[in-house]
Amino acid sequence: MAGVPEHAGDVGLTGRMRRIGRMGRMGAAGRLGMVALAALALASLPATATAAAAEADTWPTRPLRLIVPYAPGGPTDIIGRLVARFAGEALGKPVVVDNRAGAGGTIGLSQALQAEPDGYTLALVAPGPIAGMPNLMKLPYAPDDVGYLTLAARTPSVIVVRSQSGIDTLAALIEQARQHPGTMNYGSAGAGTTPHLGAELFKQEAKIDLVHVPYKGAAPALAALMAGDVQMMMVDLLPVIPLAASGRLKILAVVSDRRVPGLPNVPTTAELGFPGVLMDANYGIVGPKGIASEVQARIVEAVRHAVARPEMQAEMARIGGTALTSTPAAYRDMTRVEFERWKRVVDKGRITLN
């Protein structure tokens, strides 16, 4: 054919004729072998899909592990144990809480993300290790490497001091910090956690100088506050309730634009002149990417069962929080917004881990 060079290979009519010739020289046995291999490959596709579907139908066949990347007794641990208890009921298998504290929650989250994507290893996390810490250091994961499954709870945060501190109002705390810059310490659940970055936001807005002292979770940080090792904290309300009720801690403000029904006499940061200092903590279930969609659906359904239980609803309502679920996409998008928010705080404060 004019215009088709010899070296054009299998292009055009010449190429098709050459392929036909090669098949003809292959012989009947060769052609039958190719057909058999193709048929075998096609037959295996529905079998594989059927096996995967059957495995999802019987999942779970053994207990699940729910990593809580903070010390026992803190808000993540309390919520994690509630979710584990009631989700286990729905799944028909125990959900075992495994506390893996350290490095602002990143150690436990890293372990969860490195697990097999079979749905048997998950984590319940606050925003810190996925929206805070990635702004402060290089981690073995990025926020988009996380397999987001569903939210589980949202809780308000509060600013607290020791009852014996002599500080009765947020204004008094700010005044003391201004009179003695750099001498007041605040505790947190760890570097990069929302209690850390929330307190940094408060510092920026109030124009005060406080020194950060990180701990391996909210529970040891609160113990340090009660011992007088640190002078204040911004922390989730959940573990503070019994400590405030017993007179050991005093709540100065709810870090929100709305009051908590159970604390009607405690003002909000918005009321006290800091409308930009807001911090609700969103807790959610995550895991490695690649979990089968059928298994993901069962996990989300089990969490829905958990958050619908009257016991969990009552516990969340008692502290002004909400037990809730979400789609994986909504949870992921919320985390991306949170990441950008804390990035601005980190950049403005030139916050480092040194």
Side-chain angles (χ1 to χ4, degrees):
M1 291 179 62
V4 180
E6 274 304 306
H7 62 270
D10 286 348
V11 176
L13 178 59
T14 302
R16 288 194 293 273
M17 291 175 67
R18 287 174 180 165
R19 287 198 299 274
I20 292 169
R22 285 198 295 268
M23 289 185 66
R25 290 192 297 272
M26 185 184 297
R31 290 193 297 273
L32 285 173
M34 288 184 65
V35 171
L37 285 171
L40 183 61
L42 288 171
S44 69
L45 291 176
T48 302
T50 301
E55 185 176 350
D57 286 342
T58 59
W59 186 94
T61 58
R62 53 188 171 88
L64 279 68
R65 176 189 181 204
L66 182 64
I67 294 175
V68 170
Y70 301 104
T76 314
D77 181 67
I78 294 170
I79 293 170
R81 292 181 187 278
L82 285 169
V83 172
R85 175 185 167 192
F86 299 128
E89 287 181 356
L91 293 169
K93 295 292 180 183
V95 179
V96 180
V97 172
D98 185 5
N99 295 90
R100 296 284 172 169
T106 61
I107 291 175
L109 178 57
S110 293
Q111 291 182 2
L113 299 183
Q114 291 165 9
E116 288 295 320
D118 53 16
Y120 287 102
T121 300
L122 306 169
L124 186 134
V125 295
I130 48 178
M133 282 296 287
N135 285 304
L136 291 169
M137 65 182 294
K138 184 173 178 58
L139 297 169
Y141 61 85
D144 284 344
D145 295 331
V146 176
Y148 298 94
L149 294 169
T150 177
L151 287 171
R154 178 177 296 138
T155 65
S157 297
V158 291
I159 296 174
V160 293
V161 295
R162 292 176 71 206
S163 295
Q164 302 92 335
S165 67
I167 299 172
D168 293 323
T169 64
L170 191 64
L173 173 68
I174 294 170
E175 181 61 27
Q176 184 166 322
R178 287 176 178 166
Q179 288 179 0
H180 307 283
T183 63
M184 292 185 68
N185 300 330
Y186 73 90
S188 81
T193 60
T194 43
H196 170 208
L197 298 181
E200 289 293 326
L201 174 61
F202 172 59
K203 279 175 52 177
Q204 292 171 12
E205 295 292 316
K207 297 179 174 56
I208 55 177
D209 184 13
L210 303 172
V211 179
H212 177 220
V213 181
Y215 293 87
K216 290 187 176 181
L222 285 167
L225 176 62
M226 289 184 290
D229 297 331
V230 295
Q231 285 71 56
M232 62 86 66
M233 275 188 71
M234 182 182 291
V235 64
D236 291 8
L237 177 57
L238 182 54
V240 172
I241 291 284
L243 302 176
S246 65
R248 285 178 284 180
L249 293 181
K250 181 172 182 60
I251 303 172
L252 302 182
V254 178
V255 190
S256 178
D257 57 1
R258 61 190 184 279
R259 293 198 179 196
V260 172
L263 302 169
N265 297 322
V266 178
T268 68
T269 47
E271 293 175 56
L272 296 173
F274 300 100
V277 181
L278 308 173
M279 194 179 75
D280 282 339
N282 295 303
Y283 294 89
I285 304 291
V286 302
K289 277 192 167 181
I291 297 175
S293 58
E294 296 88 349
V295 173
Q296 289 190 44
R298 293 211 64 194
I299 294 169
V300 172
E301 187 57 38
V303 177
R304 285 183 182 144
H305 170 85
V307 303
R309 285 296 297 258
E311 297 95 325
M312 187 160 180
Q313 291 282 343
E315 183 66 12
M316 292 296 103
R318 184 175 66 87
I319 59 158
T322 307
L324 75 167
T325 58
S326 69
T327 65
Y331 183 19
R332 179 201 63 214
D333 293 346
M334 181 181 299
T335 302
R336 286 175 174 169
V337 171
E338 191 94 341
F339 173 86
E340 293 299 330
R341 179 191 183 203
W342 296 126
K343 184 177 187 304
R344 291 191 293 271
V345 173
V346 168
D347 291 346
K348 181 176 179 180
R350 299 180 182 178
I351 303 168
T352 68
L353 296 184
N354 298 326

